[in-house]
Amino acid sequence: MKHATAATETIENDSFTVTDVFKICTRCERLSKKAAVAGRQPDYRANMGVRDTISHRRMYNITRSGLAAKMDFGVRIPRPLGNGPSRFIPEKEILQVSKVDPRTQSIFEDAFAALGRLDNISLVMGFHPQYLESFLRTQHYLLQMDGPLSLHYRHYIGIMAAARHQCSYLVNLHVNDFLQVGGDSKWLNGLDGAPQKLQALGELNKILAHRPWLLTKAHIEHLLKAEEHSWSLAELIHAVVLLTHYHSLASFTFGCGITPEIHSDGGHTFRPPSLSQYCVCDIANGNGHGHLEERRGNHQVSEVSGEVEVLMERMKQLQECRDEEEASQEEMATRFEREKTESMLVATAEDEECVPSRDVSRHFEDPSYGYKDFSRRGEHVPTFRVQDYSWEDHGYSLVNRLYPDVGQLLDEKFQMAYNLTYNTMAMHKDVDTTMLRRAIWNYIHCMFGIRYDDYDYGEINQLLDRSFKVYIKTMVCSPEKTTKRMYESFWRQFQHSEKVHVNLLLMEARMQAELLYALRAITRYMT
């Protein structure tokens, strides 16, 4: 591919100065004043750090010559809308991971070789290469390997699931994949243009995404006995796994602020940048607004003190209480019901209405249906006892029997997310985080009415503060409402890699919760 090259003429017009085009930051302004006193031109490179004089000169050439050429010849040059793979995490932190970790680099190379692309979700998951490897292996099997459903059905189900949460990033990704495997473009005009068999899946998609506890064997029977549009058990298992996979992946996408790649819809613009908002040192370094946001973020973190130590002390106290006495079964049940009721009262985000765009909403029905409406009516989620139906004892074997190897792949992915630890908490090392990880996982299941008889739900309020609970509930139940402010408001002293780890826990716990309800309904139909 031939690369466009900018003109290399040196700008010598004295009337054209840096301040005519760019806003100058405070530090560069000081440099300018010092230079004026010394009777020389200011050297903005002192505030650039990363790039050299060539970058400085190239910036001028692009600004004056490159943009002029674009106007003269009518060439529309795309520009990325975001600053890297995530709106929440500085790009340099994400890219640094693959540079220092050979395993991550190898996984990225394998993913690119298999798919012909490396999406931003994988780049952010690269903070945790062990999990990423398991995730990509599972997703590849679901979408590419032999299975009950045809390839275009798989991608269309992915579109339906992602659209349920208005996740245009995943919708656009699978629209392209759907067409590449020979899918009928007429189906993309709306769900009513798809086959009756897929339309019938809309009700299951809706319930699983928002209120999985309402799923019954009657819903399963309706799909399996629909005459010429009926599903086989194996096909339904495959569809259920895909639906739950993309519901939960939508949560991760919003929770990490994933941005579209430059070649994707919503990932670029043809409008020139608003240069007045940048300083020359930011432009030369390719930082943009992200540089300023990072400064603000660092200042915010410096204002928080002792957050990690308080949490570690609570973990220590809870462990001591465990060793001293154990609550009765009646007390444990009471604490679960109390936590479940309180979780219903936790508001998601600013509780504002999100109206889906036509491009997304045409892929699903009943856009007003959601978790929010259920909780507002004061109804209660029924209790699902894991001792009666669990993934390990029931769900795993059912999936493996009807869709061979997938049960094993899912189990490995669940275990990887749940057990993943580096024995660190922010700046502290050699910390056992088992108690904290279990509290996060069980809180998500508690929101879905799932109870573990051997767990003391009183620990959740000790370990998860309100801002963290708001983030969890929003990301799991209404991920499209997740904001950067919410992401930054919890665990402010923790690393971005640790927050991504939290999001992996939330994603996998949500997927398993949905699967439990769906698989239990299928089991009841079969028996």
Side-chain angles (χ1 to χ4, degrees), residues 276-406:
S276 62
Q277 299 301 312
Y278 298 84
C279 173
V280 59
C281 62
D282 287 324
I283 293 291
N285 285 323
N287 292 325
H289 289 296
H291 186 59
L292 303 178
E293 289 294 330
E294 184 182 349
R295 291 177 189 172
R296 268 198 295 269
N298 291 339
H299 177 68
Q300 188 179 48
V301 168
S302 66
E303 293 177 349
V304 182
S305 60
E307 182 183 45
V308 182
E309 288 74 14
V310 169
L311 183 55
M312 289 177 63
E313 181 61 29
R314 287 178 179 172
M315 291 166 60
K316 180 181 177 182
Q317 292 173 358
L318 286 171
Q319 186 59 54
E320 291 172 352
C321 290
R322 276 186 188 175
D323 298 337
E324 292 175 4
E325 59 179 339
E326 187 174 328
S328 65
Q329 282 298 314
E330 293 76 12
E331 178 61 25
M332 299 270 267
T334 300
R335 290 176 183 176
F336 169 78
E337 291 298 331
R338 184 185 304 126
E339 188 60 49
K340 184 175 69 172
T341 302
E342 288 180 3
S343 74
M344 298 290 291
L345 302 176
V346 173
T348 57
E350 282 77 29
D351 206 22
E352 59 188 22
E353 195 69 35
C354 290
V355 180
S357 67
R358 166 63 184 160
D359 286 346
V360 173
S361 63
R362 62 185 171 187
H363 298 298
F364 66 93
E365 299 171 327
D366 195 2
S368 63
Y369 189 93
Y371 186 99
K372 177 185 68 174
D373 297 333
F374 177 87
S375 59
R376 278 184 170 176
R377 289 198 299 267
E379 300 177 25
H380 294 284
V381 179
T383 297
F384 181 123
R385 296 181 71 251
V386 170
Q387 277 63 25
D388 297 332
Y389 195 96
S390 69
W391 165 255
E392 293 80 6
D393 297 332
H394 305 90
Y396 168 85
S397 58
L398 177 61
V399 173
N400 244 17
R401 178 152 53 94
L402 295 171
Y403 190 7
D405 298 327
V406 170

Side-chain angles (χ1 to χ4, degrees), residues 5 19 22 34 97-98 128 145 147 244 321 367 430 440 445 455 461 466 502 506:
T5 55
T19 52
F22 301 103
K34 289 181 180 178
V97 174
S98 61
H128 307 285
M145 302 299 286
T244 58
C321 290
D430 301 319
I440 294 170
H445 279 197
Y455 182 69
N461 276 336
R466 185 164 184 81
V502 167
L506 304 188

Side-chain angles (χ1 to χ4, degrees), residues 250-293:
S251 285
F252 182 85
T253 301
F254 283 113
C256 290
I258 301 296
T259 58
E261 294 78 14
I262 187 172
H263 63 273
S264 304
D265 290 344
H268 62 269
T269 180
F270 290 102
R271 294 178 60 188
S274 177
L275 300 178
S276 62
Q277 299 301 312
Y278 298 84
C279 173
V280 59
C281 62
D282 287 324
I283 293 291
N285 285 323
N287 292 325
H289 289 296
H291 186 59
L292 303 178
E293 289 294 330

Side-chain angles (χ1 to χ4, degrees), residues 47-113:
N47 200 21
M48 290 179 189
V50 178
R51 305 290 176 89
D52 58 9
T53 312
I54 297 175
S55 299
H56 192 205
R57 184 176 298 167
R58 186 181 299 123
M59 176 199 64
Y60 279 105
N61 292 333
I62 289 173
T63 302
R64 190 173 185 182
S65 304
L67 294 182
K70 183 176 75 171
M71 293 173 63
D72 290 342
F73 296 105
V75 178
R76 302 179 73 213
I77 302 174
R79 178 175 62 85
L81 278 175
N83 290 309
S86 167
R87 293 183 294 111
F88 301 169
I89 307 169
E91 182 180 19
K92 66 179 183 180
E93 287 197 33
I94 297 172
L95 299 182
Q96 184 66 22
V97 174
S98 61
K99 292 180 181 179
V100 301
D101 191 323
R103 182 177 183 180
T104 305
Q105 183 66 37
S106 176
I107 294 170
F108 285 169
E109 290 171 358
D110 291 343
F112 185 83

